[in-house]
């Protein structure tokens, strides 16, 4: 079935630093790919998505590009803010998982002033 | 505005008692899901339902039960058979079977056994 691997956290950055959170997936065919964000004590919110190869999802300054050749969907942001501190989940959704989202373990980001 | 509502936000239960967590959505979504999240951990799927009057076990269904009598509602019962029920519970819903659709999540219920 589908699976996903995220870089382990916590990731600690200073404000205005560049962020990369790595995500690689295993799936047959063309899964859609999602990034979700979870702020402390809350549910998950959809951050961005991409549904086919070479698509770039973007939202709130975050970006991720669907790289089928490397089966990756790395999350990036050019300049992080303290308010970006949260847990980030990568999740493919494809045929092999009966179209259920498969969540990674999550990566905690801590941004310091 | 459409959304998914979980209640209560905090719930306390004595050992040996069953407790039911509510999840309601007005998004007209067909599929609904229940996840458990432990501190510092990812999400684990408990049960899911893709259509009314039908549901399937997820990865950690033991000690839990669900029903799906209405499209809008997918309550989760944590039974006394669940040995370690203290956790954060998340409900989600989704439209369609296709891959382009993500999930909409509720704000969660934090259950504590006292």
């Amino acid at each position: 079935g589908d699976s996903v691997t995220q870089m382990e956290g916590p990731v600690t950055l200073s404000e205005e630093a560049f962020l990369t959170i790595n995500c690689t997936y295993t799936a047959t065919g063309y899964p859609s790919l999602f990034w979700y964000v979870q702020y402390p004590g809350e549910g998950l919110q959809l951050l961005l998505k991409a549904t086919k190869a070479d698509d770039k999802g973007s939202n709130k300054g975050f970006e991720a590009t669907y790289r089928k050749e490397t089966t990756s969907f790395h999350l990036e942001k050019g300049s992080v803010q303290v308010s970006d501190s949260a847990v980030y989940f990568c999740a493919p959704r494809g045929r092999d998982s009966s179209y259920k989202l498969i969540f990674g373990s999550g990566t905690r980001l801590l941004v310091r002033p | 505005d459409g959304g998914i509502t979980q209640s209560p936000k905090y719930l306390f239960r004595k050992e040996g008692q069953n407790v039911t967590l509510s999840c309601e959505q007005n998004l007209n979504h067909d599929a609904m899901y229940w996840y458990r999240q432990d501190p510092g951990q990812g999400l684990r799927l408990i049960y899911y339902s893709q259509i009314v009057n039908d549901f399937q076990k997820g990865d950690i269904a033991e000690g839990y039960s669900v029903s799906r009598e209405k499209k809008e509602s997918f309550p989760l019962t944590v039974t006394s058979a669940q040995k370690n029920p203290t956790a954060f519970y998340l409900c989600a819903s989704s439209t369609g079977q296709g891959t382009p659709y993500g999930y909409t999540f509720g704000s969660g219920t934090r259950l504590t056994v006292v």
Side-chain angles (χ1 to χ4, degrees), chain B residues 25-59:
Chain B
Q25 54 98 358
N26 60 2
L27 299 166
N28 201 33
H29 285 175
D30 290 311
M32 298 186 74
Y33 309 83
W34 273 107
Y35 288 90
R36 170 182 172 139
Q37 187 177 32
D38 293 288
Q41 304 297 312
L43 279 67
R44 292 187 287 170
L45 182 63
I46 304 172
Y47 270 98
Y48 64 102
S49 167
Q50 293 176 326
I51 195 169
V52 175
N53 292 322
D54 189 40
F55 49 83
Q56 288 78 40
K57 293 181 179 180
D59 301 318

Side-chain angles (χ1 to χ4, degrees), chain B residues 7-113:
Chain B
S7 61
K9 190 170 180 65
Y10 299 95
L11 189 57
F12 296 88
R13 189 196 91 174
K14 292 183 179 180
E15 283 192 34
Q17 288 182 338
N18 293 353
V19 63
T20 298
L21 282 59
S22 171
C23 179
E24 303 277 336
Q25 54 98 358
N26 60 2
L27 299 166
N28 201 33
H29 285 175
D30 290 311
M32 298 186 74
Y33 309 83
W34 273 107
Y35 288 90
R36 170 182 172 139
Q37 187 177 32
D38 293 288
Q41 304 297 312
L43 279 67
R44 292 187 287 170
L45 182 63
I46 304 172
Y47 270 98
Y48 64 102
S49 167
Q50 293 176 326
I51 195 169
V52 175
N53 292 322
D54 189 40
F55 49 83
Q56 288 78 40
K57 293 181 179 180
D59 301 318
I60 56 165
E62 185 175 352
Y64 300 97
S65 66
V66 294
S67 63
R68 186 85 187 278
E69 298 176 0
K70 298 187 300 181
K71 188 175 186 178
E72 302 79 17
S73 179
F74 191 41
L76 173 74
T77 297
V78 184
T79 74
S80 56
Q82 171 50 236
K83 298 305 179 186
N84 187 20
T86 294
F88 189 51
Y89 290 87
L90 287 162
C91 180
S93 68
S94 176
T95 184
Q97 295 288 316
T99 59
Y101 306 104
Y103 292 179
T104 300
F105 280 84
S107 57
T109 293
R110 187 169 301 279
L111 173 64
T112 303
V113 173

Side-chain angles (χ1 to χ4, degrees), chain A residues 30-34 36 38 41-46 49 51 87 89 93-95 98-106 108, chain B residues 9 31 33 35 37 40-43 45 48 50 88 90 94-108 110:
Chain A
Y30 283 88
S32 290
L33 301 173
F34 301 83
Y36 280 82
Q38 184 180 31
E42 298 183 10
L44 278 67
Q45 302 173 26
L46 178 63
K49 72 175 185 180
T51 58
V87 180
F89 291 92
R93 185 175 192 184
R95 184 188 65 207
S98 301
Y99 301 108
K100 296 191 298 293
L101 274 172
I102 304 300
F103 288 94
S105 55
R108 181 174 299 277
Chain B
K9 190 170 180 65
Y33 309 83
Y35 288 90
Q37 187 177 32
Q41 304 297 312
L43 279 67
L45 182 63
Y48 64 102
Q50 293 176 326
F88 189 51
L90 287 162
S94 176
T95 184
Q97 295 288 316
T99 59
Y101 306 104
Y103 292 179
T104 300
F105 280 84
S107 57
R110 187 169 301 279

Side-chain angles (χ1 to χ4, degrees), chain A residues 25-100:
Chain A
Y25 67 91
T26 301
T28 56
Y30 283 88
S32 290
L33 301 173
F34 301 83
W35 275 101
Y36 280 82
V37 59
Q38 184 180 31
Y39 298 102
E42 298 183 10
L44 278 67
Q45 302 173 26
L46 178 63
L47 181 59
L48 53 84
K49 72 175 185 180
T51 58
K52 60 182 186 294
D54 300 324
D55 264 3
K56 177 184 285 187
S58 61
N59 186 25
K60 299 180 181 180
F62 290 89
E63 293 182 340
T65 300
Y66 191 140
R67 301 289 188 197
K68 184 164 177 63
E69 65 277 10
T70 55
T71 62
S72 65
F73 193 52
H74 305 323
L75 182 68
E76 297 181 336
K77 187 175 185 182
S79 177
V80 294
Q81 305 300 312
V82 172
S83 57
D84 293 327
S85 297
V87 180
Y88 293 82
F89 291 92
C90 181
R93 185 175 192 184
R95 184 188 65 207
D96 284 357
S97 56
S98 301
Y99 301 108
K100 296 191 298 293

